[in-house]
Amino acid sequence: MREVLERNLVAVEERVRQAAARCGRRREEICLVAVTKTFPPETLLEAYDLGLRDFGENYVQEWEKKRATLQGAVPGARFHLIGHLQSNKARRAGEIFDVIQTVDSVKLARRLNELGRQLDVLIEVKLSGEATKAGIAEEELPQLVEAVRDCSNLTLLGLMTMPPWSEDAEASRPYFRKLKQLAESHGLKHLSMGMSHDFEAAIEEGATMIRVGTALFGRRQRP
Ligand SMILES: *Cc1c(COP(=O)(O)O)cnc(C)c1O
């Protein structure tokens, strides 16, 4: 398994490097967030041993269990919540994650702020009309940006989005471009966008964080 992961990581790094080179960006500008959802703590440890330090998980409870197993075994690692967060789980999430990428309401931002712990956050924006997707609508973004900036315990890093699924990476590009425009209009630096199949396009459009699961760890079983 470790050998497979090592090979996959080399391949992902090569793709990242080439995409960055194509648009004149430096590799260091792009944070590779390894998405470990549904994989056991051992997988996370292997990735850590190979030098990965940023990890993405989707569910508070799942990460809580894995975290208990890992204890202090991964010093310096940063854990990002990349799945939808319900307000009633905000407290726990704020305790066990370092970055919350999916802030999508004023209520949630305030709950996180009340914890009194310094947290890095991103706002998840819904750029497609899909009813099932999480994220704040573009029209409501200015209000939420302002509210998060008023939260003294939250540092607003930038925006995150997830375009509608398509096999074709080019279909994601307009959404990436749009997110970049929105971030610029609010003076925000970070853009979390791009997954296994479309992160090259995301990098070309300015991604500073890419969230990669399948290309590193293989296909997931349904949770
Ligand atoms: C699962 C997930 C990813 C990783 O997707 P892959 O296609 O496996 O790279 C990225 N972002 C979010 C929000 C996810 O839920």
Side-chain angles (χ1 to χ4, degrees):
M1 192 55 213
R2 194 196 151 92
E3 292 69 31
V4 177
L5 177 55
E6 195 163 5
R7 228 181 311 127
N8 289 347
L9 179 58
V10 169
V12 166
E13 275 297 335
E14 185 56 25
R15 286 172 61 193
V16 173
R17 213 176 301 281
Q18 287 187 8
R22 273 199 297 279
C23 54
R25 300 184 62 201
R26 288 176 303 121
R27 168 66 186 89
E28 305 78 64
E29 292 170 31
I30 301 141
C31 173
L32 173 59
V33 179
V35 177
T36 42
K37 65 169 175 240
T38 77
F39 289 98
E42 294 73 39
T43 304
L44 208 149
L45 269 179
E46 285 173 358
Y48 181 88
D49 284 342
L50 290 170
L52 289 164
R53 288 295 176 271
D54 287 86
F55 297 92
E57 288 278 345
N58 286 58
Y59 308 101
V60 175
Q61 263 172 316
E62 183 185 340
W63 171 230
E64 191 159 33
K65 282 200 202 115
K66 288 189 210 175
R67 184 172 177 268
T69 314
L70 291 168
Q71 301 268 4
V74 288
R78 275 210 305 174
F79 296 93
H80 302 241
L81 178 66
I82 61 169
H84 177 62
L85 179 58
Q86 293 164 296
S87 310
N88 64 357
K89 294 203 178 125
R91 168 169 292 279
R92 195 58 190 135
E95 289 166 352
I96 63 176
F97 287 98
D98 305 292
V99 187
I100 309 283
Q101 293 207 6
T102 50
V103 171
D104 63 357
S105 72
V106 174
K107 182 177 164 192
L108 178 57
R110 294 200 176 134
R111 286 267 172 102
L112 291 168
N113 190 51
E114 283 164 9
L115 300 177
R117 178 178 177 229
Q118 211 52 52
L119 279 172
D120 287 338
V121 304
L122 289 93
I123 292 174
E124 180 175 8
V125 189
K126 181 166 87 165
L127 296 173
S128 66
E130 294 167 292
T132 54
K133 278 263 165 67
I136 187 124
E138 190 187 332
E139 307 78 58
E140 297 168 62
L141 180 62
Q143 235 181 314
L144 183 54
V145 167
E146 198 176 322
V148 175
R149 281 183 166 148
D150 282 341
C151 292
S152 57
N153 292 317
L154 307 184
T155 303
L156 180 57
L157 299 182
L159 306 179
M160 179 267 207
T161 201
M162 206 163 149
W165 169 259
S166 165
E167 298 243 319
D168 178 12
E170 286 307 313
S172 301
R173 193 181 293 274
Y175 297 94
F176 297 154
R177 201 165 279 175
K178 180 76 201 175
L179 196 72
K180 165 97 175 169
Q181 283 170 2
L182 289 173
E184 279 181 343
S185 73
H186 290 285
L188 294 167
K189 174 168 179 247
H190 284 281
L191 289 165
S192 172
M193 56 190 198
M195 318 198 324
S196 290
H197 71 292
D198 60 8
F199 68 71
E200 284 103 330
I203 289 169
E204 288 165 8
E205 298 302 330
T208 64
M209 298 179 181
I210 54 172
R211 310 178 306 265
V212 180
T214 312
L216 289 171
F217 305 112
R219 293 268 301 269
R220 288 179 289 274
Q221 311 284 338
R222 290 250 157 225

